[in-house]
Amino acid sequence: MVSIADVARDAGVSSSTVSYVLSGKRSISPETRDRVEASVRRLGYHPHAGARALASSRTNVLALVMPLRADIDVQVLMGFVTSVVTSARKYDYDVLLLTNDEGPDGLRRVADSAMADALLVMDVESADPRVPVLRSLRCPTVLIGLPDEPGDLSCVDLDFSAAAKRCVQHLADLGHEHIALVGPSPAVYERGTSFAGRFLNGFTEATRTRGLNAPSQPCSPSYDGVRECLDKILVEQPRLTGLVVHNEAVLGTLLSELRARGSRVPEDVSVVAVGPDEMAANQPMRLTTVPLLSDDVGRIAVEMTMRELAGSSAPEVRLLSPRLAHGDSTAQRD
């Protein structure tokens, strides 16, 4: 393993000079700095993380709190994780993934242990019990999600209310008057997950505005759950011609069940879904979707975190405007 002494010897300077170049704590002549940086690149030197943390009071680690629950689509979450990790590396930061359900006490433990410089928190609830604790911590925190009262915490997410309205607008503009929402699993609603509530509110508001008859049903991520969900929808909406699907985990099963019941997509039932781009690409037909924008959300969350670490940013809330990606699963209603 290449040491700081090896770099110093190669550059013809002292070890302390190499340390000052790497830390930026003292002014070093441009010529000496260039020589040291050239030696670092040539020898492939990487500062020891523990020593760097002791010297700078920084770990260069971001903690991403992402509880892995039974009702969560891990594939969808990994899109956000990938974006956070990729964006963090551009700032020379690593990401510590915390997958336990870190309640208020767990978050205090993480912050007090100084194992990370900042927290990024996912799976945010509308009345999230972690928010008061996060606001009291000295550790910079960014929420990927939007609680009802974020206070002085920075938040970023897709505008799920606007996303629901965009889905309803699309179907209504195609002439569909009898539509329904296939929502997340019942546990997601019971937990008060923010994105689910905001989407449902947006759907309800948009259908009321357009004068549409539009029930909604939660859907458990199983074949029986999909059948039960569709049965309930068809009882309330026997003339169903359009579905908004806000449940990536059941989408493939839902399309299969529609085919099994003799309902053709889009000839009989138009389907517009909310989810990652890969979801649309992995179905038998190219779906009309509202993408989750996980790449943008993760990148912006890291940018917010870096600004907070630099002390150069006031708390902010950013909700990203949804876009509709037209596919073959929706059609004009005769």
Side-chain angles (χ1 to χ4, degrees), residues 176-191:
H176 294 272
E177 298 179 352
H178 304 279
I179 69 174
L181 168 64
V182 176
S185 71
V188 172
Y189 286 118
E190 290 165 7
R191 198 164 60 246

Side-chain angles (χ1 to χ4, degrees), residues 134-216:
L134 291 170
R135 294 176 62 185
S136 71
L137 298 177
R138 300 180 66 181
C139 182
T141 300
V142 171
L143 303 182
I144 298 179
L146 180 66
D148 289 343
E149 297 183 9
D152 55 358
L153 294 176
S154 291
C155 310
V156 59
D157 204 358
L158 175 69
D159 189 336
F160 279 94
S161 177
K165 293 174 183 178
R166 187 69 187 87
C167 292
V168 171
Q169 177 189 0
H170 176 64
L171 290 175
D173 288 349
L174 290 174
H176 294 272
E177 298 179 352
H178 304 279
I179 69 174
L181 168 64
V182 176
S185 71
V188 172
Y189 286 118
E190 290 165 7
R191 198 164 60 246
T193 307
S194 170
F195 72 82
R198 287 185 282 136
F199 192 93
L200 179 58
N201 290 339
F203 179 84
T204 302
E205 181 181 340
T207 52
R208 185 182 298 121
T209 299
R210 298 295 293 252
L212 303 180
N213 178 12
S216 65

Side-chain angles (χ1 to χ4, degrees), residues 103-302:
D105 290 340
L107 293 176
R108 275 198 201 91
R109 174 184 59 79
V110 172
D112 292 344
S113 69
M115 65 175 68
D117 297 332
L119 296 172
L120 291 88
V121 180
M122 298 183 63
D123 196 33
V124 175
E125 299 171 10
S126 297
D128 202 307
R130 300 170 298 180
V131 167
V133 172
L134 291 170
R135 294 176 62 185
S136 71
L137 298 177
R138 300 180 66 181
C139 182
T141 300
V142 171
L143 303 182
I144 298 179
L146 180 66
D148 289 343
E149 297 183 9
D152 55 358
L153 294 176
S154 291
C155 310
V156 59
D157 204 358
L158 175 69
D159 189 336
F160 279 94
S161 177
K165 293 174 183 178
R166 187 69 187 87
C167 292
V168 171
Q169 177 189 0
H170 176 64
L171 290 175
D173 288 349
L174 290 174
H176 294 272
E177 298 179 352
H178 304 279
I179 69 174
L181 168 64
V182 176
S185 71
V188 172
Y189 286 118
E190 290 165 7
R191 198 164 60 246
T193 307
S194 170
F195 72 82
R198 287 185 282 136
F199 192 93
L200 179 58
N201 290 339
F203 179 84
T204 302
E205 181 181 340
T207 52
R208 185 182 298 121
T209 299
R210 298 295 293 252
L212 303 180
N213 178 12
S216 65
Q217 285 291 336
C219 187
S220 298
S222 66
Y223 180 72
D224 288 341
V226 170
R227 283 197 309 176
E228 181 182 356
C229 176
L230 275 178
D231 287 344
K232 289 181 177 179
I233 285 174
L234 289 171
V235 168
E236 294 186 75
Q237 188 67 287
R239 298 170 61 189
L240 179 74
T241 67
L243 281 174
V244 175
V245 182
H246 185 211
N247 189 331
E248 306 90 344
V250 306
L251 187 56
T253 305
L254 177 66
L255 294 174
S256 296
E257 180 63 13
L258 287 172
R259 285 196 299 272
R261 296 182 183 216
S263 294
R264 300 165 301 165
V265 177
E267 292 86 353
D268 301 315
V269 179
S270 286
V271 175
V272 56
V274 180
D277 290 328
E278 313 85 73
M279 174 194 71
N282 292 334
Q283 301 302 327
M285 67 170 59
R286 188 169 58 93
L287 297 179
T288 298
T289 63
V290 173
L292 285 178
L293 306 180
S294 54
D295 285 349
D296 292 334
V297 170
R299 173 182 53 79
I300 292 170
V302 171

